[in-house]
Amino acid sequence: MSSSYRGLILDFGGVLTTRMRLNGEAFERSEGLEPGAYFHALNENPEGVRVYSALEVGKATQEDWNRVIGGILGIDSTDLMRRALANLRPEPAIVAATEKARATGIRVAMLSNSFGLTPYNPYEALGMWEDAFDAVILSEREGVRKPSPAIYLRALAELGLSGPECVFVDDHAENLPPAEALGIRTIHHTTDPEATATQLDALLARAAA
């Protein structure tokens, strides 16, 4: 049975890159924060949650995020996003699988809930910007974020493909069902990039160029 997949859609943080939690823990150490303080600011502090959600859909700037998160943590807010993501690196196994797929004719999109683009563009900094993909879909540009179905439809439109022609990889399980509802094959990436890369290779190996 030959593969019918013609498109690959990948999350950025924690899929195309190393794990977000490890990056955040390294940030806490570098800033002298108590363990867990950064994650609490992002995920539990009401103002932190609000500004991050607003940033993702383009209703707050990265500098707004820097100011609010810096204030919650009691640290210098100058260019804070750059410092907060300083330990993020490309994930070699996933990047290699992506490049291999694209070389065989698979159309590849990056779909990310945005970290903002100015003053620090983390995508460009890690070599994962427009030239590296056939499409780049960022929530701040779309005004909507995962797991809203609208952003998956936008990714399909940008690729010019239908749901059943595509595979989507994300590290957050809650982002998968809306894609599955559109007929997209999903992979939940956890902590084993080699295993995810093997799955991708198996799904896409027989795709027609």
Side-chain angles (χ1 to χ4, degrees), residues 108-125:
V108 178
M110 178 175 70
L111 171 58
S112 176
N113 282 353
S114 186
F115 295 96
L117 298 174
T118 57
Y120 176 61
N121 183 335
Y123 310 99
E124 190 170 38

Side-chain angles (χ1 to χ4, degrees), residues 48-120:
V49 171
R50 181 198 61 76
V51 77
Y52 212 158
S53 297
L55 173 68
E56 288 180 328
V57 295
K59 293 183 177 178
T61 67
Q62 191 181 92
E63 289 178 328
D64 292 331
W65 184 93
N66 291 344
R67 184 180 65 256
V68 172
I69 299 299
I72 293 168
L73 295 174
I75 59 176
D76 180 13
S77 65
T78 306
D79 215 5
L80 184 57
M81 185 67 81
R82 184 188 305 270
R83 297 184 353 249
L85 299 179
N87 292 281
L88 213 55
R89 299 287 182 271
E91 183 55 72
I94 304 298
V95 171
T98 301
E99 291 173 346
K100 181 178 177 182
R102 200 175 184 209
T104 67
I106 298 288
R107 291 181 59 76
V108 178
M110 178 175 70
L111 171 58
S112 176
N113 282 353
S114 186
F115 295 96
L117 298 174
T118 57
Y120 176 61

Side-chain angles (χ1 to χ4, degrees), residues 15 39 109:
V15 175
F39 300 103

